[in-house]
Amino acid sequence: MTLILASRSASRRTLLREAGISFEARAADVDEAATKARHDGDPASLALRLAEEKALSLDVPGALIIGGDQVLEFEGRAYDKPRSGEEAIRRLVMMGGHTHYLRSGLVLAQDGQIVWRHAGSAAMTMRPLTQSEATAYLDAAGEGVLATVGAYELEGLGARLFERVEGDYFTILGLALLPLLEELRRRDALPW
């Protein structure tokens, strides 16, 4: 069975590849800004909606198409990826000493229909951060963290920003891998 990841995300591609899953990656054709503008639900439902739209944007008969997205929720508000280093620093300082949530949506689509959905969540409690600490972190981690919704990578230097993390590690990285593997096995899309 053909498996397609509807994403440009390097981390999602890496997670699937390292789990030994054979797949193709194709960019989803979704206007995320428009979806966010017309969405009137909570950040968790937004993540699931974006995942659905990504999966449904590709039309490959018979293929299982994986759509995934992640939304950062802080004090009830959804945040996009920071547009600049300055915005990332402000956000890190603002979230310092508080808990924010990574809400993820993951779906499988086949022949234009969503055939499976999974919503995940992780609670991320940051230690208090000064502006100079956030700046030092961003300087050390590099501009690549601006491609993440939280402006950090927990699997690297970003771990130093946190006091406590509650939730599935793979959900934090942007793809709830264990539930996906279970569903792929259930569908005989994986040999074991």
Side-chain angles (χ1 to χ4, degrees):
M1 173 174 294
T2 302
L3 191 60
I4 298 172
L5 174 64
S7 178
R8 286 175 260 207
S9 167
S11 64
R12 289 185 185 106
R13 289 192 314 263
T14 298
L15 286 171
L16 291 174
R17 192 172 30 258
E18 289 182 357
I21 297 173
S22 178
F23 69 98
E24 298 173 33
R26 298 186 187 181
D29 184 21
V30 172
D31 183 347
E32 291 189 37
T35 299
K36 291 172 183 176
R38 69 177 178 268
H39 185 78
D40 59 1
D42 63 1
S45 65
L46 175 59
L48 199 53
R49 182 69 200 145
L50 288 165
E52 290 171 350
E53 288 187 9
K54 288 178 179 182
L56 293 172
S57 75
L58 301 181
D59 183 21
V60 183
L64 271 178
I65 301 172
I66 302 168
D69 210 312
Q70 186 178 66
V71 174
L72 185 146
E73 178 184 348
F74 180 63
E75 296 182 343
R77 180 176 161 215
Y79 286 84
D80 290 327
K81 295 172 186 167
R83 293 179 297 269
S84 68
E86 293 78 20
E87 183 180 344
I89 290 166
R90 284 192 305 273
R91 186 175 305 167
L92 290 170
V93 171
M94 175 183 67
M95 293 188 306
H98 301 282
T99 300
H100 66 272
Y101 300 89
L102 295 177
R103 309 293 189 189
S104 71
L106 183 61
V107 303
L108 288 174
Q110 191 170 37
D111 297 322
Q113 299 292 318
I114 300 296
V115 295
W116 177 79
R117 288 176 178 81
H118 175 79
S121 183
M124 313 289 290
T125 304
M126 298 185 94
R127 66 181 184 82
L129 292 169
T130 65
Q131 183 165 342
S132 63
E133 289 172 318
T135 301
Y137 162 70
L138 194 62
D139 288 345
E143 296 271 325
V145 297
L146 298 180
T148 68
V149 72
Y152 57 79
E153 293 173 328
L154 184 69
E155 65 274 28
L157 291 175
R160 295 170 59 173
L161 303 175
F162 290 91
E163 289 180 351
R164 186 175 61 254
V165 172
E166 299 171 50
D168 175 66
Y169 179 71
F170 296 112
T171 295
I172 295 165
L173 297 183
L175 184 84
L177 187 60
L178 299 179
L180 177 62
L181 292 172
E182 180 181 343
E183 182 63 17
L184 292 175
R185 282 189 301 270
R186 192 185 75 72
R187 294 177 172 278
D188 294 323
L190 291 177
W192 52 275

